[in-house]
C-alpha cells in the first residue's frame, strides 16, 4: 500500500518544544517496519518551529514572522538530524523535501515535485516533507501540514493518509468538555454537521486542530483517498490502522 503519514508537533515534541525521544524512536521503528513489509511511505512532518523553540530556548511559540521563520530554520535541521539518525539505525534513507503553496499551484513545479517523490520511493528512500517555512509567507503558504499532507497524498496517488495527532479521532462532541462524547469510527461524507464538530486550533506549538483535519479529509475524499485521524501517542496504532481495526476515525474516499 502507498501511504502518507503526517505527524504533528504535539506528537513529536513535549510541550516544552523539546523532542519526545521515546515517542519519536517508536515512530521511526514502526515506519521502518512497515517499509520493510513492502509499504511505500512518505512522511509529512511538522515540528520545525516547535523544535526551534526548544533549541533556541524561547519561552513560547513566536508570533512574529521573522522569529517564526528563524525558529523553523533551526528546528528543521534538528528534525532531519533526528530522523536521519533513527531511520539509519533501521537501514532506511531519508530525503528532505520542503515546499510551499506556490510549488503546488505552479503545474511545472508540481510535476517536478511529484517526479522526485516517485523516484525517491522507487529508490527505497523515505521522503520527509514539510512546508518551507523560512520562505512561506501568508500569501504563498499552504499554512498547515494537515492540508499539505492531503495535497501530497492526492498528488502521489496514495491510497491512505494517516494524520497522527494528540486525539483519537473525531468525536461527537468535545471529549475534554463532554464525557458522553463518542468517537466516530467512519465518516462517509463531510457536511455541515461534521464541520460543526471541529473546533479551532489545537496545541500551543502546532498550527492545526480538528478544522484543518476536516478540510484535509475533504481534499482526500474528493480524490478517492481514504484518510484516518489517530492518536500518535502510541505509534503502534499504525499497525492497527493497516489491519483496519483499532481506535481511530476513518474518512472514506469517494470510490471513483
Ligand atoms: N510547518 C510547521 C512546522 O514544521 C508546522 C505546520 C503545522 O503544524 O501544521 O513547524
Amino acid at each position: 500500500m502507498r501511504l502518507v503519514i503526517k505527524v504533528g508537533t504535539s506528537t513529536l515534541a513535549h510541550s516544552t518544544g523539546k523532542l519526545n525521544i521515546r515517542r519519536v524512536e517508536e515512530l521511526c521503528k514502526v515506519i521502518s517496519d512497515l517499509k520493510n513489509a513492502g509499504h511505500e511511505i512518505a512522511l509529512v512532518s511538522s515540528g520545525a518551529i516547535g523544535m526551534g523553540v526548544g533549541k533556541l530556548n524561547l519561552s513560547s511559540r513566536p508570533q512574529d514572522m521573522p522569529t517564526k521563520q528563524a525558529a523553523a530554520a533551526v528546528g528543521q535541521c534538528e528534525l532531519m538530524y533526528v530522523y536521519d539518525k533513527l531511520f539509519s539505525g533501521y537501514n532506511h534513507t531519508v530525503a528532505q523535501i520542503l515546499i510551499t503553496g506556490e510549488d503546488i499551484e505552479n503545474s511545472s513545479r508540481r510535476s517536478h515535485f511529484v517526479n522526485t517523490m516517485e523516484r525517491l520511493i522507487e529508490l527505497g528512500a523515505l521522503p520527509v516533507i514539510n512546508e518551507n517555512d523560512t520562505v512561506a509567507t501568508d500569501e504563498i503558504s499552504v499554512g498547515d501540514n494537515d492540508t499539505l499532507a492531503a495535497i501530497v497524498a492526492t498528488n502521489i496517488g496514495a491510497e491512505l493518509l494517516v494524520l497522527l495527532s494528540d486525539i483519537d479521532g473525531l468525536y461527537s462532541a468535545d471529549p475534554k468538555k463532554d464525557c458522553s462524547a463518542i468517537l466516530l469510527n467512519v465518516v462517509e461524507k463531510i457536511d455541515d454537521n461534521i464541520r460543526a464538530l471541529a473546533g479551532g486550533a489545537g496545541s500551543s506549538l502546532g498550527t492545526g486542530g480538528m478544522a484543518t483535519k476536516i478540510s484535509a479529509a475533504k481534499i482526500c475524499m474528493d480524490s478517492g483517498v481514504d484518510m484516518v485521524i489517530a492518536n500518535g501517542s502510541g505509534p503502534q496504532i499504525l499497525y492497527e490502522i493497516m489491519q483496519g481495526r483499532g481506535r481511530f476515525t476513518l474518512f472514506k474516499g469517494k470510490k471513483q
Side-chain angles (χ1 to χ4, degrees):
M1 182 189 268
R2 178 171 288 192
L3 74 151
V4 175
I5 298 167
K6 181 257 171 178
V7 271
T9 307
S10 60
T11 300
L12 297 169
H14 292 287
S15 53
T16 55
K18 304 273 189 209
L19 188 71
N20 187 327
I21 297 174
R22 184 166 43 170
R23 191 170 301 152
V24 174
E25 283 185 348
E26 187 63 22
L27 178 75
C28 294
K29 185 171 160 183
V30 174
I31 292 177
S32 297
D33 197 27
L34 290 173
K35 267 178 74 62
N36 287 352
H39 298 294
E40 295 178 338
I41 301 180
L43 180 63
V44 173
S45 178
S46 301
I49 299 174
M51 282 208 210
V53 168
K55 263 218 130 172
L56 292 167
N57 289 316
L58 305 177
S59 54
S60 60
R61 187 184 162 97
Q63 295 307 318
D64 66 295
M65 194 54 98
T67 318
K68 241 193 250 181
Q69 294 182 320
V74 170
Q76 183 65 28
C77 279
E78 171 77 354
L79 207 53
M80 289 313 295
Y81 167 73
V82 169
Y83 283 135
D84 192 23
K85 198 167 63 162
L86 294 175
F87 281 112
S88 295
Y90 297 105
N91 263 324
H92 288 290
T93 301
V94 293
Q96 172 182 261
I97 299 198
L98 299 176
I99 54 172
T100 65
E102 266 192 336
D103 300 319
I104 300 298
E105 272 151 36
N106 178 302
S107 63
S108 109
R109 275 151 74 168
R110 185 176 60 235
S111 73
H112 288 304
F113 160 69
V114 172
N115 292 343
T116 306
M117 288 289 292
E118 285 295 340
R119 184 51 54 86
L120 284 169
I121 292 171
E122 246 172 59
L123 291 167
L126 174 73
V128 181
I129 303 133
N130 196 357
E131 179 132 37
N132 193 354
D133 291 314
T134 52
V135 295
T137 54
D138 287 345
E139 300 77 53
I140 62 159
S141 71
V142 176
D144 71 88
N145 276 3
D146 296 325
T147 309
L148 179 66
I151 292 171
V152 171
T154 52
N155 273 282
I156 66 165
E159 285 147 79
L160 174 69
L161 166 63
V162 178
L163 300 182
L164 291 179
S165 183
D166 54 2
I167 189 160
D168 291 346
L170 182 65
Y171 281 85
S172 59
D174 183 347
K176 288 182 193 131
K177 294 187 191 134
D178 182 348
C179 58
S180 67
I182 53 161
L183 182 70
L184 307 184
N185 296 119
V186 183
V187 173
E188 308 260 2
K189 190 169 165 257
I190 305 292
D191 54 19
D192 289 347
N193 292 334
I194 294 293
R195 281 195 195 90
L197 297 178
S203 72
S204 56
L205 286 170
T207 305
M210 201 45 84
T212 56
K213 291 178 178 50
I214 299 301
S215 49
K218 176 93 175 89
I219 296 171
C220 286
M221 292 161 88
D222 286 350
S223 297
V225 179
D226 289 341
M227 193 192 94
V228 159
I229 300 175
N231 201 323
S233 63
Q236 302 266 343
I237 186 84
L238 287 168
Y239 291 123
E240 294 174 29
I241 293 167
M242 299 309 282
Q243 289 159 5
R245 59 175 178 86
R247 252 185 102 65
F248 53 82
T249 302
L250 168 66
F251 295 80
K252 277 185 102 67
K254 279 188 202 138
K255 293 299 157 244
Q256 315 281 335

